[in-house]
């Protein structure tokens, strides 16, 4: 066996078997299960899909709060009446909101990024207007979206953004001190070009609650675009940022997904669902990752060959893709259960994760390669049938299988041979008596 890629200090010492984690102390979910949505500007709350979002176990919705929509006339700032209705609707369904601040305004610098003093001052007025009037209604603010796209390598470009973050974060904390402030929204190219690291070097963590990343890997090619390769890369990123900061860096993956389209870098809707399950479970193996927002909730269009149209959990007509049912089945485990241990086999691509909540213990297992039978172990101590959730068939929920735990004697380790494939199986360690 090899050490699963997890580079936090508390887990570095474990090279074999399962690593054990201490119980987390938190008032909210252990992990944010989020989604990106473009529904804020639809205007009619009756058409908002908050009920569908909440039913999937999602707890946070990320959306665009365009500067251009707030300042439609020069120096006249007005929040559209639909926005408070939208926020009330999301709260009613148990959802919090992440607002993205930015995208430029044509009245200030012809819509350019706020790098000059006059444009930055106008941007800050917009930030203050939102934070003051929406106090207590927005859980997270994210300062700009993917600033690095224009120039991920320029130190001056990074410094301008760092200054914007410091100003905006201070303004938000003045008007709405309970809101969390995130910065970065750094793309894969920006991460690999050092943009995220330079933000940390510039001291942005003194102003914000966390660094947001958009670590897409769907175009990396065979064996480099899988959830397992993705988390190995993120573990390296996590380690480097921690070393740079001299302390753990809270990471928020405010966009992440695999597109299900018919074209370059695309996968099937079925494989998208499997990758969703694996990536959410794997994100829990890096303690610095505090949440992940799937991009996005609904397909942006209907062209099966257009990548940007096919990231969603739902199709454009709101019909559910396989990924929606899978997220609905696993969201409680991802958000509320503690990760207690993990194992990865060097020779066969099998991943096993142990989760617990109270007295309940679960083993999540899958094969990232070919399907294979694997011996799952538990110390439950008595024979019975295996109870499991198969994410390939999420509509079945947890069910009692025909597979038996093999227990040589009371108090000894029991084993069950489980067929594993690309879809995680969630296995209860409590044997049950099969119904007759």
């Amino acid at each position: 066996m090899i050490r699963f890629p997890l580079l936090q200090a508390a887990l570095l010492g474990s090279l074999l078997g399962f690593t054990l984690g201490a119980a987390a102390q938190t008032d909210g979910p252990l992990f944010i299960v989020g989604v990106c949505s473009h529904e804020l500007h639809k205007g009619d709350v009756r058409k908002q899909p908050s009920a569908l979002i909440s039913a999937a176990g999602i707890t946070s919705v990320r959306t665009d709060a365009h500067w251009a929509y707030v300042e439609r006339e020069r120096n006249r700032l007005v929040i559209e009446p639909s926005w408070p209705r939208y926020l009330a609707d999301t709260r009613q369904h148990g959802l919090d909101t992440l607002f993205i601040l930015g995208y430029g305004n044509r009245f200030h610098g012809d819509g350019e990024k706020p790098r000059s003093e006059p444009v930055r001052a106008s941007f800050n007025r917009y930030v203050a207007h939102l934070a003051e009037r929406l106090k207590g209604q927005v859980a997270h603010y994210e300062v700009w979206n993917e600033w690095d796209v224009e120039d991920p390598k320029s130190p001056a470009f990074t410094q301008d953004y760092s200054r914007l973050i410091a100003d905006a974060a201070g303004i938000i904390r003045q008007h709405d001190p309970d809101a969390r402030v995130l910065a970065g929204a750094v793309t894969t190219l920006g991460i690999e070009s050092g943009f995220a690291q330079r933000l940390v070097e510039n001291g942005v963590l003194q102003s914000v609650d966390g660094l947001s990343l958009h670590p897409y890997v769907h175009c990396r090619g065979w064996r480099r675009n899988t959830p397992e390769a993705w988390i190995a890369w993120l573990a390296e990123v996590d380690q480097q940022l921690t070393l740079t900061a001299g302390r753990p860096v809270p990471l928020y993956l405010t966009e992440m997904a695999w597109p299900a389209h018919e074209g370059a870098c695309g996968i099937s809707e079925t494989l998208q669902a499997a990758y969703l399950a694996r990536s959410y479970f794997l994100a829990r193996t890096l303690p610095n990752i505090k949440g992940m927002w799937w991009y996005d909730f609904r397909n942006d269009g209907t062209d099966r060959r257009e990548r940007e149209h096919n990231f969603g959990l739902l199709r454009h007509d709101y019909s559910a893709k396989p990924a929606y049912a899978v997220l609905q089945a696993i969201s409680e485990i991802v958000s509320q259960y503690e990760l207690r241990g993990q194992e990865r086999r060097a020779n066969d691509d099998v991943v096993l994760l142990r989760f617990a909540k109270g007295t309940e213990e679960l083993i999540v297992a899958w094969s990232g390669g070919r399907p294979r039978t694997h011996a799952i172990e538990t110390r439950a101590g008595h024979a019975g049938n295996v109870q499991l959730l198969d994410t390939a068939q999420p509509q079945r929920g947890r069910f009692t299988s025909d597979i038996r735990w093999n227990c040589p004697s009371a108090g000894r380790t029991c084993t069950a041979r489980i067929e594993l494939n690309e879809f995680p199986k969630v296995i209860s360690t409590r044997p049950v008596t099969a119904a007759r």
Side-chain angles (χ1 to χ4, degrees), residues 387-407:
Q387 187 181 61
L388 59 82
L389 164 70
D390 185 353
T391 60
Q393 306 174 68
Q395 68 279 1
R396 294 186 66 181
R398 295 195 196 186
F399 64 93
T400 302
S401 71
D402 295 331
I403 305 168
R404 296 279 296 178
W405 290 104
N406 179 22
C407 304

Side-chain angles (χ1 to χ4, degrees), residues 317-331:
D317 64 1
Y318 289 96
S319 62
K321 295 159 69 173
Y324 177 86
V326 169
L327 184 57
Q328 188 174 44
I330 69 170
S331 56

Side-chain angles (χ1 to χ4, degrees), residues 265-312:
C265 309
I267 57 176
S268 69
E269 289 185 352
T270 299
L271 188 56
Q272 181 191 47
Y275 278 12
L276 176 144
R278 284 150 59 181
S279 62
Y280 266 105
F281 283 129
L282 288 170
R284 290 298 314 277
T285 68
L286 292 179
N288 282 340
I289 298 179
K290 306 305 180 183
M292 185 166 85
W293 284 254
W294 187 265
Y295 184 86
D296 51 354
F297 183 64
R298 182 170 71 110
N299 280 357
D300 289 336
T302 59
D303 186 347
R304 291 288 299 127
R305 298 193 61 81
E306 170 55 53
R307 183 188 313 170
E308 292 300 320
H309 284 194
N310 292 282
F311 279 93

Side-chain angles (χ1 to χ4, degrees), residues 365-436:
W366 69 86
S367 171
R370 62 177 176 81
R372 66 194 74 227
T373 300
H374 187 80
I376 303 294
E377 297 182 351
T378 178
R379 293 185 179 274
H382 59 90
N385 288 63
V386 174
Q387 187 181 61
L388 59 82
L389 164 70
D390 185 353
T391 60
Q393 306 174 68
Q395 68 279 1
R396 294 186 66 181
R398 295 195 196 186
F399 64 93
T400 302
S401 71
D402 295 331
I403 305 168
R404 296 279 296 178
W405 290 104
N406 179 22
C407 304
S409 59
R412 300 292 296 276
T413 297
C414 302
T415 62
R417 297 190 64 79
I418 308 291
E419 181 73 20
L420 300 180
N421 56 31
E422 63 192 3
F423 277 91
K425 287 185 170 65
V426 181
I427 303 152
S428 173
T429 61
R430 295 177 180 175
V432 296
T433 301
R436 296 183 180 275

Side-chain angles (χ1 to χ4, degrees), residues 151-295:
D151 189 346
K153 297 181 179 181
S154 167
F157 199 67
T158 311
Q159 289 170 0
D160 286 342
Y161 179 55
S162 299
R163 179 174 177 180
L164 189 76
I165 292 168
D167 289 349
I171 292 167
I172 293 168
R173 299 204 191 286
Q174 176 185 355
H175 294 289
D176 192 356
D178 291 333
R180 289 185 178 180
V181 183
L182 308 179
V186 187
T187 66
T188 297
L189 180 58
I191 295 169
E192 295 178 331
S193 300
F195 186 86
Q197 187 172 338
R198 288 195 302 274
L199 289 179
V200 174
E201 292 170 344
N202 288 347
V204 298
L205 295 178
Q206 298 175 22
S207 303
V208 300
D209 296 289
L211 194 66
S212 58
L213 304 176
H214 297 174
Y216 293 103
V217 296
H218 52 274
C219 276
R220 287 192 164 181
W222 186 74
R223 300 294 288 179
R224 297 181 64 241
N225 65 347
T226 65
E228 294 73 32
W230 169 76
I231 202 65
W233 168 57
L234 273 183
E236 296 174 357
V237 172
D238 177 31
Q239 183 187 44
Q240 185 58 59
L241 292 173
T242 296
L243 291 173
T244 301
R247 62 181 176 89
V249 177
L251 300 176
Y252 294 79
L253 311 185
T254 55
E255 282 189 26
M256 184 57 205
W258 282 261
H261 69 285
E262 300 169 358
C265 309
I267 57 176
S268 69
E269 289 185 352
T270 299
L271 188 56
Q272 181 191 47
Y275 278 12
L276 176 144
R278 284 150 59 181
S279 62
Y280 266 105
F281 283 129
L282 288 170
R284 290 298 314 277
T285 68
L286 292 179
N288 282 340
I289 298 179
K290 306 305 180 183
M292 185 166 85
W293 284 254
W294 187 265
Y295 184 86

